[in-house]
Amino acid sequence: MPDSDPNPADAVLERLDDEITFLVDNLRDISDSLTDLACYLDSSLTRGDSEQVGGAVDRVRVILSTQVTDDLTALVGLGAIRHGTSADLDTVTTERPGPTGDDGTHQGTLRDREAAAAQDLRRLVADVGDHFDLARIAAERGNAQRSMTEYRLARRAAHLTADAYRLWAACLAEPNP
């Protein structure tokens, strides 16, 4: 009689862990891409390169694609199974960050407004990365509410980058007095 009969429960747990590892690795790649984009954006802002800043903003906005959403949702479910928590995605509520950026009432020099708009862009892109990382970590632990809240905040910050970019580009286009 063999000593090592395959245990079906062990095989299922191994498969579950493999799937979790696959999803975590994919989502970490997204986190790494967001970090790289934040660095690229920062250097492009410093150089005042409107085309490169616009490209970085576009990439930040599209990086959180449907596939990323699907992977994060799948990870929440698998993490909940692995950690014995509930992954009820239908009851998730979310906070919404307020509008960011200059509302046009900022008094100061053009250079001050440009610097403030650039800082808003940097902060928004950092927020996308930070919220996405928190969403990924919560998903891995099976915490659906925290994961989906953080993911929605990441997507909201990504959406706001377009307005912040337009403001920054408008400051660049204004003639210096």
Side-chain angles (χ1 to χ4, degrees):
M1 187 165 149
D3 288 334
S4 61
D5 285 335
N7 182 341
D10 289 341
V12 169
L13 285 176
E14 184 176 328
R15 175 74 174 146
L16 178 65
D17 288 341
D18 288 347
E19 289 296 319
I20 289 172
T21 299
F22 175 77
L23 291 168
V24 167
D25 288 347
N26 286 346
L27 294 171
R28 279 190 184 139
D29 288 345
I30 298 298
S31 290
D32 292 345
S33 294
L34 287 168
T35 299
D36 292 345
L37 280 170
C39 291
Y40 180 78
L41 176 81
D42 182 55
S43 66
S44 297
L45 284 166
T46 300
R47 288 190 312 276
D49 189 328
S50 181
E51 187 174 313
Q52 288 182 349
V53 171
V57 166
D58 287 342
R59 286 191 301 276
V60 167
R61 291 180 63 220
V62 300
I63 202 167
L64 302 179
S65 67
T66 301
Q67 183 60 51
V68 171
T69 304
D70 292 347
D71 285 355
L72 191 64
T73 303
L75 182 58
V76 165
L78 295 175
I81 292 167
R82 185 67 173 120
H83 297 285
T85 59
S86 172
D88 185 3
L89 298 176
D90 294 332
T91 62
V92 175
T93 58
T94 186
E95 303 169 25
R96 294 284 186 196
T100 61
D102 191 328
D103 62 3
T105 62
H106 177 70
Q107 298 299 317
T109 67
L110 177 60
R111 182 164 290 198
D112 291 341
R113 289 185 293 158
E114 180 185 336
Q119 192 57 32
D120 278 349
L121 266 172
R122 287 180 179 99
R123 183 184 50 77
L124 284 168
V125 171
D127 285 352
V128 172
D130 291 346
H131 286 297
F132 183 77
D133 286 342
L134 292 171
R136 178 182 48 80
I137 291 165
E140 190 173 353
R141 294 178 181 156
N143 186 336
Q145 184 164 352
R146 177 72 189 266
S147 180
M148 292 297 107
T149 296
E150 294 295 339
Y151 186 60
R152 286 184 180 121
L153 290 171
R155 289 178 59 104
R156 176 71 176 151
H159 176 74
L160 292 172
T161 60
D163 291 336
Y165 168 71
R166 282 191 287 278
L167 178 62
W168 177 79
C171 289
L172 281 183
E174 285 186 37
N176 285 322

